[in-house]
Amino acid sequence: MDVLPRFARSVLEFQCLADRCEDTCCVGLRVPVSEERLARLREGVAGTPDAQRVEALVVSQPEGPPAERAFIQMGAGGACPFLDTQKFCSLHRKYGERVLPDGCATFPRIVSKVGEQVEVAGSLACPEMARRLLLTPDALEQVPGPWEAVPRPEVARPFPGAPGDVYAAHAERIRATALGLLRQQGFPLVSRLGFLGQLAFQLDSVFRAEAPFAGTPEQVEQILEAWLPPFEAQDRLEAMHRDFSALEVPGGASAELLASMLKARRAVARGERFKPFTDGVLASLWGSEEAEGSSDAAWREATARWAWLEATHGARLEQYFLNYTVNQWLRAPFTEAPNLLAYVFRLAVRVAMMRMTLAGHPAVAALRAQAPGLSAEESQAALDRVAVECFYLVSRHVEQAPDILSLVWNMAGAGGGETLGKLILFSKF
């Protein structure tokens, strides 16, 4: 192939820690097996003692789509039944990568396709990938890399969208504008999310209006040429920033909703680390693991801690959340959402959840109390450890859960002014 794949820099450098990792990928995740991979798995273990285990533990779904023709039946604790005592995959160890389902072979890398360009991003659901993506300043710089570093390029996911849809046809250009807004580091994160919301509101007003857009390709080009460049103009960004900064919004209701999401996932999520994490955050902010106290008081406490974090570790927080938001745009195509504003709304909810869990982590409260006796390097190292835990646990157990995704899409609504208003509420959390 003539065009080299593009990698987020830290993804290209990633190496699995295996048994040295504080967690394992093979717990708490839903692993589909495609029709092709099911056949290869059966062929690979044929005539061995594992053949019977595969038939018993890989549950067929004959009526499912080809990409989900079977699922691995996870154990009672949510662990993959093929995981050995050293946290290695026994199938991979015995039969090689060729027998693995696509998700197992690629995780925590995410392979996608924008036009003809193959891209490889990373999932923060892996703690080591989270470390690399959050703690390295240039982690999300896209760089060319060798084809042999792309896990299963044949399963690269193209940007979804109907043929001829404006967003699908101009995905890379629109995404580039969005990434440019996120990288406007002269503005706080809340304003940058607001910029994205305004961009999405404006584009949706034409390309996701009630009546299908009926313009010609030339008219599409004219609209994009007229609307995208002004979002790079500093005077316009300054004006929008002043408007967002002047808004006063209550945060108690948002805190209560975010807490309800954590509790819902705590009830069903597998893995030994998520429940203690959730219990600690809720008890630290609400005084109760069931968040039975005042949500307004919890929000005020989270806000006070956040102000301390910004005052003492502002540049590091900026790096965490810039890398996190940029990574979301690289790993998840915006065309998967019903409209661009819904996609940005989901991002705002995710950022709010990360802010709440980071500020609400009991270790942050302890760090704040111990701050006078710690050096700047010790304090940052401690915060880095907390951030990695928050981002990877929420990414693994909350963000991609079908019930949470459904809830967030429903909350977003049909778009327009109502969705933009909700987006601003969560952006300012």
Side-chain angles (χ1 to χ4, degrees):
M1 300 184 184
D2 295 332
V3 180
L4 288 174
R6 287 195 301 231
F7 295 77
R9 183 182 294 280
S10 285
V11 175
L12 186 59
E13 299 166 351
F14 169 81
Q15 292 290 327
C16 176
L17 298 183
D19 57 333
R20 294 180 290 115
C21 185
E22 65 266 42
D23 206 340
T24 174
C25 316
C26 307
V27 173
L29 297 176
R30 186 169 179 264
V31 181
V33 186
S34 69
E35 187 171 45
E36 177 186 355
R37 288 297 162 184
L38 182 58
R40 290 196 183 191
L41 174 56
R42 285 170 170 164
E43 178 186 344
V45 300
T48 75
D50 287 310
Q52 189 173 354
R53 292 185 69 218
V54 165
E55 290 306 314
L57 298 172
V58 181
V59 182
S60 295
Q61 285 197 149
E63 303 302 319
E68 298 181 357
R69 197 49 56 87
F71 284 89
I72 295 178
Q73 182 66 56
M74 296 299 180
C80 177
F82 300 108
L83 190 66
D84 66 22
T85 57
Q86 294 177 287
K87 297 201 292 188
F88 286 103
C89 173
S90 60
L91 293 177
H92 185 272
R93 177 174 277 182
K94 293 178 184 177
Y95 309 104
E97 182 269 347
R98 66 188 180 89
V99 304
L100 298 181
D102 291 326
C104 298
T106 58
F107 186 85
R109 302 168 184 88
I110 298 168
V111 187
S112 59
K113 207 172 183 183
V114 186
E116 294 303 311
Q117 177 68 60
V118 170
E119 297 185 348
V120 186
S123 168
L124 276 79
C126 161
E128 175 61 9
M129 185 67 84
R131 259 187 293 275
R132 289 178 173 271
L133 292 179
L134 294 175
L135 307 184
T136 308
D138 61 351
L140 276 299
E141 179 188 358
Q142 288 189 293
V143 295
W147 277 103
E148 54 268 27
V150 181
R152 298 202 177 159
E154 69 275 10
V155 301
R157 180 190 179 196
F159 258 55
D165 178 74
V166 171
Y167 282 170
H170 296 271
E172 190 161 14
R173 186 176 182 187
I174 293 170
R175 187 182 66 171
T177 299
L179 291 174
L181 291 175
L182 282 173
R183 291 181 171 123
Q184 290 283 346
Q185 296 183 53
F187 300 98
L189 180 61
V190 56
S191 292
R192 282 177 270 163
L193 291 172
F195 300 159
L196 288 175
Q198 289 287 4
L199 172 67
F201 178 81
Q202 189 164 324
L203 292 178
D204 283 349
S205 68
V206 172
F207 301 126
R208 286 296 184 271
E210 285 190 27
F213 179 70
T216 65
E218 291 74 19
Q219 289 171 320
V220 171
E221 286 288 344
Q222 290 171 0
I223 291 170
L224 294 178
E225 283 297 329
W227 286 4
L228 295 186
F231 275 91
E232 301 170 1
Q234 288 297 304
D235 57 346
R236 180 170 184 178
L237 298 182
E238 289 282 359
M240 287 192 288
H241 166 63
R242 288 193 296 272
D243 290 341
F244 294 134
S245 299
L247 292 173
E248 295 287 342
V249 299
S254 298
E256 187 169 340
L257 181 58
L258 294 171
S260 71
M261 292 183 188
L262 285 178
K263 290 191 291 183
R265 291 305 302 154
R266 181 184 63 186
V268 297
R270 305 294 183 85
E272 61 184 21
R273 300 176 68 92
F274 184 66
K275 184 180 185 301
F277 163 76
T278 301
D279 289 348
V281 169
L282 297 181
S284 182
L285 291 178
W286 274 266
S288 161
E289 292 174 359
E290 296 304 317
E292 294 166 336
S294 166
S295 291
D296 287 330
W299 172 66
R300 287 193 295 272
E301 176 62 20
T303 301
R305 293 186 195 178
W306 191 260
W308 175 78
L309 283 170
E310 286 192 315
T312 55
H313 295 286
R316 201 60 165 178
L317 286 184
E318 163 71 25
Q319 181 175 302
Y320 298 156
F321 282 89
L322 174 61
N323 288 9
Y324 173 70
T325 52
V326 168
N327 190 62
Q328 288 294 332
W329 281 85
L330 295 181
R331 71 175 296 277
F334 70 85
T335 53
E336 69 183 7
N339 52 67
L340 184 56
L341 193 53
Y343 182 89
V344 180
F345 172 78
R346 184 181 68 176
L347 178 62
V349 173
R350 288 177 167 179
V351 167
M353 177 66 82
M354 291 299 186
R355 286 169 64 121
M356 187 183 82
T357 54
L358 183 57
H361 199 293
V364 167
L367 186 61
R368 184 183 181 191
Q370 299 164 0
L374 296 176
S375 68
E377 292 77 13
E378 290 171 328
S379 184
Q380 179 174 298
L383 183 61
D384 284 347
R385 289 191 293 271
V386 176
V388 168
E389 182 179 44
C390 288
F391 279 82
Y392 104 78
L393 285 173
V394 172
S395 295
R396 176 178 296 191
H397 295 288
V398 181
E399 290 187 346
Q400 298 301 317
D403 55 335
I404 299 298
L405 285 172
S406 177
L407 173 64
V408 173
W409 289 141
N410 287 335
M411 285 167 51
E418 181 182 354
T419 303
L420 182 60
K422 294 176 183 177
L423 183 154
I424 291 171
L425 279 174
F426 281 100
S427 297
K428 291 187 73 73
F429 179 81

